[in-house]
PDB file of all heavy atoms in Angstrom:
ATOM      1  N   GLY A   3       9.034  12.805  16.022  1.00 40.00           N
ATOM      2  CA  GLY A   3       8.496  14.159  15.749  1.00 40.00           C
ATOM      3  C   GLY A   3       7.625  14.089  14.580  1.00 40.00           C
ATOM      4  O   GLY A   3       6.687  13.402  14.539  1.00 40.00           O
ATOM      5  N   THR A  41       8.230   9.937   1.993  1.00 87.00           N
ATOM      6  CA  THR A  41       8.168   8.510   2.387  1.00 87.00           C
ATOM      7  C   THR A  41       8.575   8.392   3.840  1.00 87.00           C
ATOM      8  O   THR A  41       8.080   7.399   4.465  1.00 87.00           O
ATOM      9  CB  THR A  41       9.063   7.693   1.486  1.00 87.00           C
ATOM     10  OG1 THR A  41      10.379   8.211   1.461  1.00 87.00           O
ATOM     11  CG2 THR A  41       8.559   7.610   0.068  1.00 87.00           C
ATOM     12  N   VAL A  42       9.516   9.161   4.340  1.00 85.00           N
ATOM     13  CA  VAL A  42       9.881   8.970   5.762  1.00 85.00           C
ATOM     14  C   VAL A  42       9.073   9.658   6.733  1.00 85.00           C
ATOM     15  O   VAL A  42       8.654   9.166   7.763  1.00 85.00           O
ATOM     16  CB  VAL A  42      11.425   9.314   5.902  1.00 85.00           C
ATOM     17  CG1 VAL A  42      11.811   9.368   7.386  1.00 85.00           C
ATOM     18  CG2 VAL A  42      12.329   8.439   5.052  1.00 85.00           C
ATOM     19  N   LEU A 128      -0.875   4.644  -1.516  1.00 82.00           N
ATOM     20  CA  LEU A 128      -2.048   4.549  -0.719  1.00 82.00           C
ATOM     21  C   LEU A 128      -2.498   5.901  -0.054  1.00 82.00           C
ATOM     22  O   LEU A 128      -3.322   5.908   0.776  1.00 82.00           O
ATOM     23  CB  LEU A 128      -1.887   3.417   0.320  1.00 82.00           C
ATOM     24  CG  LEU A 128      -1.933   2.022  -0.195  1.00 82.00           C
ATOM     25  CD1 LEU A 128      -1.458   1.064   0.896  1.00 82.00           C
ATOM     26  CD2 LEU A 128      -3.238   1.593  -0.707  1.00 82.00           C
ATOM     27  N   PRO A 130      -4.401   9.236   0.617  1.00 82.00           N
ATOM     28  CA  PRO A 130      -5.759   9.651   0.257  1.00 82.00           C
ATOM     29  C   PRO A 130      -5.757  10.777  -0.768  1.00 82.00           C
ATOM     30  O   PRO A 130      -6.755  10.988  -1.482  1.00 82.00           O
ATOM     31  CB  PRO A 130      -6.251  10.241   1.620  1.00 82.00           C
ATOM     32  CG  PRO A 130      -5.047  10.389   2.513  1.00 82.00           C
ATOM     33  CD  PRO A 130      -3.966   9.470   2.009  1.00 82.00           C
ATOM     34  N   GLU A 163      -4.874 -26.783 -19.194  1.00 64.00           N
ATOM     35  CA  GLU A 163      -6.177 -26.559 -18.547  1.00 64.00           C
ATOM     36  C   GLU A 163      -7.233 -25.925 -19.404  1.00 64.00           C
ATOM     37  O   GLU A 163      -6.882 -25.289 -20.415  1.00 64.00           O
ATOM     38  CB  GLU A 163      -5.933 -25.762 -17.273  1.00 64.00           C
ATOM     39  CG  GLU A 163      -5.262 -24.380 -17.626  1.00 64.00           C
ATOM     40  CD  GLU A 163      -4.927 -23.655 -16.294  1.00 64.00           C
ATOM     41  OE1 GLU A 163      -5.809 -23.592 -15.480  1.00 64.00           O
ATOM     42  OE2 GLU A 163      -3.820 -23.197 -16.181  1.00 64.00           O
ATOM     43  N   LEU A 173      -9.855 -10.711 -14.096  1.00 88.00           N
ATOM     44  CA  LEU A 173      -9.662 -10.810 -12.682  1.00 88.00           C
ATOM     45  C   LEU A 173      -8.227 -11.298 -12.478  1.00 88.00           C
ATOM     46  O   LEU A 173      -7.510 -10.706 -11.624  1.00 88.00           O
ATOM     47  CB  LEU A 173     -10.645 -11.804 -12.097  1.00 88.00           C
ATOM     48  CG  LEU A 173     -11.025 -11.685 -10.638  1.00 88.00           C
ATOM     49  CD1 LEU A 173     -11.374 -10.269 -10.262  1.00 88.00           C
ATOM     50  CD2 LEU A 173     -12.172 -12.692 -10.330  1.00 88.00           C
ATOM     51  N   ASP A 176      -5.753  -8.542 -13.124  1.00 90.00           N
ATOM     52  CA  ASP A 176      -5.699  -7.678 -12.073  1.00 90.00           C
ATOM     53  C   ASP A 176      -4.934  -8.216 -10.801  1.00 90.00           C
ATOM     54  O   ASP A 176      -4.229  -7.477 -10.066  1.00 90.00           O
ATOM     55  CB  ASP A 176      -7.074  -7.268 -11.604  1.00 90.00           C
ATOM     56  CG  ASP A 176      -7.641  -6.259 -12.618  1.00 90.00           C
ATOM     57  OD1 ASP A 176      -7.012  -5.921 -13.614  1.00 90.00           O
ATOM     58  OD2 ASP A 176      -8.870  -5.859 -12.409  1.00 90.00           O
ATOM     59  N   LEU A 177      -5.071  -9.488 -10.647  1.00 93.00           N
ATOM     60  CA  LEU A 177      -4.374 -10.122  -9.490  1.00 93.00           C
ATOM     61  C   LEU A 177      -2.844 -10.102  -9.749  1.00 93.00           C
ATOM     62  O   LEU A 177      -2.127  -9.952  -8.779  1.00 93.00           O
ATOM     63  CB  LEU A 177      -4.892 -11.523  -9.267  1.00 93.00           C
ATOM     64  CG  LEU A 177      -6.297 -11.668  -8.646  1.00 93.00           C
ATOM     65  CD1 LEU A 177      -6.749 -13.108  -8.698  1.00 93.00           C
ATOM     66  CD2 LEU A 177      -6.288 -11.167  -7.242  1.00 93.00           C
ATOM     67  N   VAL A 188       5.556  -6.549   0.935  1.00 78.00           N
ATOM     68  CA  VAL A 188       6.380  -7.568   1.469  1.00 78.00           C
ATOM     69  C   VAL A 188       7.745  -7.000   1.714  1.00 78.00           C
ATOM     70  O   VAL A 188       8.359  -7.220   2.795  1.00 78.00           O
ATOM     71  CB  VAL A 188       6.511  -8.744   0.471  1.00 78.00           C
ATOM     72  CG1 VAL A 188       7.547  -9.741   0.895  1.00 78.00           C
ATOM     73  CG2 VAL A 188       5.180  -9.480   0.229  1.00 78.00           C
ATOM     74  N   ARG A 195      16.038  -8.038   2.081  1.00 77.00           N
ATOM     75  CA  ARG A 195      15.882  -9.011   1.088  1.00 77.00           C
ATOM     76  C   ARG A 195      16.358  -8.550  -0.321  1.00 77.00           C
ATOM     77  O   ARG A 195      16.032  -7.486  -0.737  1.00 77.00           O
ATOM     78  CB  ARG A 195      14.368  -9.395   0.983  1.00 77.00           C
ATOM     79  CG  ARG A 195      14.022 -10.558   0.088  1.00 77.00           C
ATOM     80  CD  ARG A 195      12.546 -10.629  -0.055  1.00 77.00           C
ATOM     81  NE  ARG A 195      11.794 -11.102   1.171  1.00 77.00           N
ATOM     82  CZ  ARG A 195      11.856 -12.375   1.552  1.00 77.00           C
ATOM     83  NH1 ARG A 195      12.602 -13.243   0.968  1.00 77.00           N
ATOM     84  NH2 ARG A 195      11.173 -12.706   2.601  1.00 77.00           N
ATOM     85  N   ALA A 203      11.146 -14.186  -8.573  1.00 92.00           N
ATOM     86  CA  ALA A 203      10.159 -15.034  -7.926  1.00 92.00           C
ATOM     87  C   ALA A 203       8.767 -14.445  -8.225  1.00 92.00           C
ATOM     88  O   ALA A 203       7.764 -15.220  -8.415  1.00 92.00           O
ATOM     89  CB  ALA A 203      10.443 -15.114  -6.481  1.00 92.00           C
ATOM     90  N   ARG A 210       2.529 -18.505 -12.926  1.00 92.00           N
ATOM     91  CA  ARG A 210       1.703 -19.530 -12.328  1.00 92.00           C
ATOM     92  C   ARG A 210       0.222 -19.071 -12.235  1.00 92.00           C
ATOM     93  O   ARG A 210      -0.658 -19.845 -12.505  1.00 92.00           O
ATOM     94  CB  ARG A 210       2.196 -19.868 -10.919  1.00 92.00           C
ATOM     95  CG  ARG A 210       3.453 -20.686 -10.906  1.00 92.00           C
ATOM     96  CD  ARG A 210       4.048 -20.768  -9.544  1.00 92.00           C
ATOM     97  NE  ARG A 210       5.270 -21.619  -9.572  1.00 92.00           N
ATOM     98  CZ  ARG A 210       5.230 -22.877  -9.314  1.00 92.00           C
ATOM     99  NH1 ARG A 210       4.109 -23.538  -9.040  1.00 92.00           N
ATOM    100  NH2 ARG A 210       6.356 -23.634  -9.301  1.00 92.00           N
ATOM    101  N   GLY A 213      -1.375 -19.442 -15.436  1.00 86.00           N
ATOM    102  CA  GLY A 213      -1.644 -20.807 -15.867  1.00 86.00           C
ATOM    103  C   GLY A 213      -0.575 -21.239 -16.859  1.00 86.00           C
ATOM    104  O   GLY A 213      -0.734 -22.236 -17.576  1.00 86.00           O
TER     105      GLY A 213
ATOM    106  N   VAL B  42      -9.590   8.825   4.613  1.00 85.00           N
ATOM    107  CA  VAL B  42     -10.014   9.822   3.619  1.00 85.00           C
ATOM    108  C   VAL B  42      -9.171  11.068   3.633  1.00 85.00           C
ATOM    109  O   VAL B  42      -8.794  11.611   2.611  1.00 85.00           O
ATOM    110  CB  VAL B  42     -11.547  10.123   3.860  1.00 85.00           C
ATOM    111  CG1 VAL B  42     -11.947  11.323   2.884  1.00 85.00           C
ATOM    112  CG2 VAL B  42     -12.398   8.893   3.647  1.00 85.00           C
ATOM    113  N   LEU B 128       0.871   1.513   4.734  1.00 82.00           N
ATOM    114  CA  LEU B 128       2.094   2.163   4.128  1.00 82.00           C
ATOM    115  C   LEU B 128       2.433   3.462   4.759  1.00 82.00           C
ATOM    116  O   LEU B 128       3.260   4.196   4.255  1.00 82.00           O
ATOM    117  CB  LEU B 128       1.916   2.412   2.603  1.00 82.00           C
ATOM    118  CG  LEU B 128       1.888   1.066   1.757  1.00 82.00           C
ATOM    119  CD1 LEU B 128       1.551   1.313   0.371  1.00 82.00           C
ATOM    120  CD2 LEU B 128       3.344   0.422   1.827  1.00 82.00           C
ATOM    121  N   PRO B 130       4.290   6.094   7.038  1.00 83.00           N
ATOM    122  CA  PRO B 130       5.691   6.153   7.616  1.00 83.00           C
ATOM    123  C   PRO B 130       5.661   5.889   9.113  1.00 83.00           C
ATOM    124  O   PRO B 130       6.652   5.467   9.687  1.00 83.00           O
ATOM    125  CB  PRO B 130       6.159   7.502   7.295  1.00 83.00           C
ATOM    126  CG  PRO B 130       4.989   8.318   6.879  1.00 83.00           C
ATOM    127  CD  PRO B 130       3.906   7.331   6.383  1.00 83.00           C
ATOM    128  N   GLU B 163       5.370 -31.427  -9.800  1.00 64.00           N
ATOM    129  CA  GLU B 163       6.588 -30.758 -10.073  1.00 64.00           C
ATOM    130  C   GLU B 163       7.670 -30.988  -8.975  1.00 64.00           C
ATOM    131  O   GLU B 163       7.304 -31.374  -7.883  1.00 64.00           O
ATOM    132  CB  GLU B 163       6.360 -29.243 -10.135  1.00 64.00           C
ATOM    133  CG  GLU B 163       5.709 -28.666  -8.953  1.00 64.00           C
ATOM    134  CD  GLU B 163       5.298 -27.168  -9.076  1.00 64.00           C
ATOM    135  OE1 GLU B 163       6.157 -26.457  -9.551  1.00 64.00           O
ATOM    136  OE2 GLU B 163       4.168 -26.823  -8.762  1.00 64.00           O
ATOM    137  N   LEU B 173      10.165 -17.628  -0.017  1.00 88.00           N
ATOM    138  CA  LEU B 173       9.863 -16.578  -0.944  1.00 88.00           C
ATOM    139  C   LEU B 173       8.470 -16.676  -1.461  1.00 88.00           C
ATOM    140  O   LEU B 173       7.759 -15.727  -1.597  1.00 88.00           O
ATOM    141  CB  LEU B 173      10.947 -16.662  -2.083  1.00 88.00           C
ATOM    142  CG  LEU B 173      11.254 -15.414  -2.931  1.00 88.00           C
ATOM    143  CD1 LEU B 173      11.613 -14.258  -2.011  1.00 88.00           C
ATOM    144  CD2 LEU B 173      12.450 -15.705  -3.850  1.00 88.00           C
ATOM    145  N   ASP B 176       5.937 -15.615   1.048  1.00 90.00           N
ATOM    146  CA  ASP B 176       5.870 -14.152   1.136  1.00 90.00           C
ATOM    147  C   ASP B 176       5.155 -13.543  -0.028  1.00 90.00           C
ATOM    148  O   ASP B 176       4.452 -12.552   0.103  1.00 90.00           O
ATOM    149  CB  ASP B 176       7.276 -13.461   1.245  1.00 90.00           C
ATOM    150  CG  ASP B 176       7.853 -13.801   2.663  1.00 90.00           C
ATOM    151  OD1 ASP B 176       7.177 -14.338   3.492  1.00 90.00           O
ATOM    152  OD2 ASP B 176       8.959 -13.383   2.838  1.00 90.00           O
ATOM    153  N   LEU B 177       5.304 -14.200  -1.206  1.00 93.00           N
ATOM    154  CA  LEU B 177       4.612 -13.646  -2.354  1.00 93.00           C
ATOM    155  C   LEU B 177       3.081 -13.844  -2.246  1.00 93.00           C
ATOM    156  O   LEU B 177       2.284 -12.977  -2.644  1.00 93.00           O
ATOM    157  CB  LEU B 177       5.111 -14.353  -3.630  1.00 93.00           C
ATOM    158  CG  LEU B 177       6.499 -13.899  -4.140  1.00 93.00           C
ATOM    159  CD1 LEU B 177       7.001 -14.777  -5.244  1.00 93.00           C
ATOM    160  CD2 LEU B 177       6.516 -12.416  -4.505  1.00 93.00           C
ATOM    161  N   GLY B 180       2.003 -11.275   0.012  1.00 90.00           N
ATOM    162  CA  GLY B 180       1.970  -9.954  -0.754  1.00 90.00           C
ATOM    163  C   GLY B 180       0.802  -9.886  -1.696  1.00 90.00           C
ATOM    164  O   GLY B 180       0.199  -8.814  -1.904  1.00 90.00           O
ATOM    165  N   VAL B 188      -5.407  -3.232  -5.828  1.00 78.00           N
ATOM    166  CA  VAL B 188      -6.250  -3.471  -7.021  1.00 78.00           C
ATOM    167  C   VAL B 188      -7.648  -2.938  -6.711  1.00 78.00           C
ATOM    168  O   VAL B 188      -8.272  -2.212  -7.466  1.00 78.00           O
ATOM    169  CB  VAL B 188      -6.403  -4.997  -7.328  1.00 78.00           C
ATOM    170  CG1 VAL B 188      -7.443  -5.198  -8.356  1.00 78.00           C
ATOM    171  CG2 VAL B 188      -5.003  -5.513  -7.750  1.00 78.00           C
ATOM    172  N   ARG B 195     -15.833  -3.357  -7.802  1.00 77.00           N
ATOM    173  CA  ARG B 195     -15.651  -4.802  -7.994  1.00 77.00           C
ATOM    174  C   ARG B 195     -16.168  -5.544  -6.760  1.00 77.00           C
ATOM    175  O   ARG B 195     -15.867  -5.179  -5.619  1.00 77.00           O
ATOM    176  CB  ARG B 195     -14.214  -5.067  -8.169  1.00 77.00           C
ATOM    177  CG  ARG B 195     -13.815  -6.491  -8.632  1.00 77.00           C
ATOM    178  CD  ARG B 195     -12.344  -6.628  -8.527  1.00 77.00           C
ATOM    179  NE  ARG B 195     -11.659  -5.926  -9.615  1.00 77.00           N
ATOM    180  CZ  ARG B 195     -11.690  -6.371 -10.886  1.00 77.00           C
ATOM    181  NH1 ARG B 195     -12.447  -7.331 -11.231  1.00 77.00           N
ATOM    182  NH2 ARG B 195     -11.013  -5.663 -11.814  1.00 77.00           N
ATOM    183  N   ALA B 203     -10.945 -15.495  -6.253  1.00 92.00           N
ATOM    184  CA  ALA B 203      -9.881 -15.508  -7.300  1.00 92.00           C
ATOM    185  C   ALA B 203      -8.482 -15.366  -6.710  1.00 92.00           C
ATOM    186  O   ALA B 203      -7.564 -16.001  -7.181  1.00 92.00           O
ATOM    187  CB  ALA B 203     -10.208 -14.373  -8.296  1.00 92.00           C
ATOM    188  N   ARG B 210      -2.170 -21.440  -7.046  1.00 92.00           N
ATOM    189  CA  ARG B 210      -1.368 -21.599  -8.240  1.00 92.00           C
ATOM    190  C   ARG B 210       0.073 -21.217  -7.861  1.00 92.00           C
ATOM    191  O   ARG B 210       0.995 -21.945  -8.396  1.00 92.00           O
ATOM    192  CB  ARG B 210      -1.876 -20.666  -9.338  1.00 92.00           C
ATOM    193  CG  ARG B 210      -3.181 -21.211 -10.012  1.00 92.00           C
ATOM    194  CD  ARG B 210      -3.731 -20.116 -10.866  1.00 92.00           C
ATOM    195  NE  ARG B 210      -4.866 -20.706 -11.574  1.00 92.00           N
ATOM    196  CZ  ARG B 210      -4.844 -21.233 -12.729  1.00 92.00           C
ATOM    197  NH1 ARG B 210      -3.755 -21.372 -13.442  1.00 92.00           N
ATOM    198  NH2 ARG B 210      -6.018 -21.736 -13.319  1.00 92.00           N
ATOM    199  N   GLY B 213       1.771 -24.015  -6.296  1.00 86.00           N
ATOM    200  CA  GLY B 213       2.006 -25.209  -7.055  1.00 86.00           C
ATOM    201  C   GLY B 213       0.936 -26.230  -6.862  1.00 86.00           C
ATOM    202  O   GLY B 213       1.114 -27.450  -7.203  1.00 86.00           O
TER     203      GLY B 213
END
Side-chain angles (χ1 to χ4, degrees):
Chain A
T41 54
V42 172
L128 289 171
E163 56 185 314
L173 205 50
D176 285 357
L177 287 172
V188 171
R195 190 188 286 287
R210 283 170 177 268
Chain B
V42 172
L128 288 172
E163 55 186 314
L173 204 50
D176 285 357
L177 287 172
V188 172
R195 189 189 286 289
R210 284 171 177 267

